[in-house]
Amino acid sequence: MERVLVVGATGAGKSTLAHALGSRLGLPYHEMDALYFNGPGWAVNDRLVEDVARVTAGPRWIIDSLGHPEVRDLLWGRADTVIWLDYTRRVIMPRVLRRSVRRTVTREVVFGGNRETWVGWLSREHPVWWSWSQHRTRRRDIALRLRDPRFASLETRRFGRPQDTAAWLASVR
């Protein structure tokens, strides 16, 4: 486990797990949203492909994402392990709701110096709406990738319950 992708729906806990696992294994952790959004107004990084290529050219890393379409094959082609947080909406939605309320109320600065706002909740791209609407699609996309012969050599761990993920993480040395 040297080049790891942590995948799942928005709000599943990918960043939290990737950070914790990276710390345990001494893997440099890279947050995909921080690579993707790089400026005010949720500006998208026009050097995303180059930045992800640079990060994944290294021998050891962990990234918390299925990957945006323009870098997805690059990420999956260079990974050796995929950790799938395959949680139900019933698990994910309270998590993403709590996170977004906290970020909005505290005006927490996130990727590229941006903040979640109350007005932002009205957008279909807000994390809460995105998580709800993309849950089924994200599960299907991950399952298809894991059946793709190009990625057959990937070590895969699939967790359906947070308790199982936590028990596994506690066992990782």
Side-chain angles (χ1 to χ4, degrees):
M1 216 175 349
E2 301 283 316
R3 297 173 312 281
V4 182
L5 291 177
V6 179
V7 301
T10 299
K14 298 180 302 291
S15 300
T16 301
L17 178 62
H19 187 270
L21 184 60
S23 291
R24 281 186 183 266
L25 298 176
L27 298 175
Y29 164 58
H30 304 276
E31 192 168 21
M32 180 54 71
D33 284 341
L35 290 166
Y36 187 76
F37 298 108
N38 70 342
W42 300 97
V44 174
N45 181 0
D46 59 359
R47 296 184 39 83
L48 178 67
V49 174
E50 293 88 354
D51 289 350
V52 171
R54 179 183 39 76
V55 165
T56 60
R60 304 180 80 238
W61 46 264
I62 187 165
I63 295 177
D64 59 351
S65 180
L66 165 67
H68 292 276
E70 58 269 43
V71 296
R72 196 167 290 161
D73 285 344
L74 175 64
L75 285 170
W76 283 70
R78 291 186 176 174
D80 64 18
T81 305
V82 172
I83 311 297
W84 183 7
L85 303 181
D86 187 19
Y87 301 157
T88 64
R89 279 188 177 133
R90 189 165 58 212
V91 169
I92 291 171
M93 293 312 299
R95 289 175 168 201
V96 74
L97 278 163
R98 279 191 303 270
R99 182 184 74 187
S100 283
V101 166
R102 184 195 76 239
R103 285 178 174 175
T104 303
V105 168
T106 65
R107 308 269 303 133
E108 180 181 333
V109 176
V110 292
F111 329 107
N114 294 287
R115 291 180 168 88
E116 288 188 36
T117 65
W118 293 116
V119 170
W121 282 71
L122 302 174
S123 167
R124 291 184 182 268
E125 292 183 0
H126 185 275
V128 172
W129 302 117
W130 186 258
S131 183
W132 181 265
S133 67
Q134 296 298 310
H135 185 268
R136 183 174 295 134
T137 302
R138 181 64 47 99
R139 288 186 81 215
R140 184 198 68 224
D141 290 350
I142 294 168
L144 286 171
R145 284 205 161 252
L146 290 172
R147 289 193 300 269
D148 187 322
R150 295 177 298 162
F151 310 119
S153 66
L154 289 172
E155 177 185 341
T156 303
R157 302 231 183 237
R158 182 177 181 177
F159 298 104
R161 300 177 334 141
Q163 308 89 297
D164 298 336
T165 308
W168 172 78
L169 180 62
S171 75
V172 173
R173 300 279 175 239

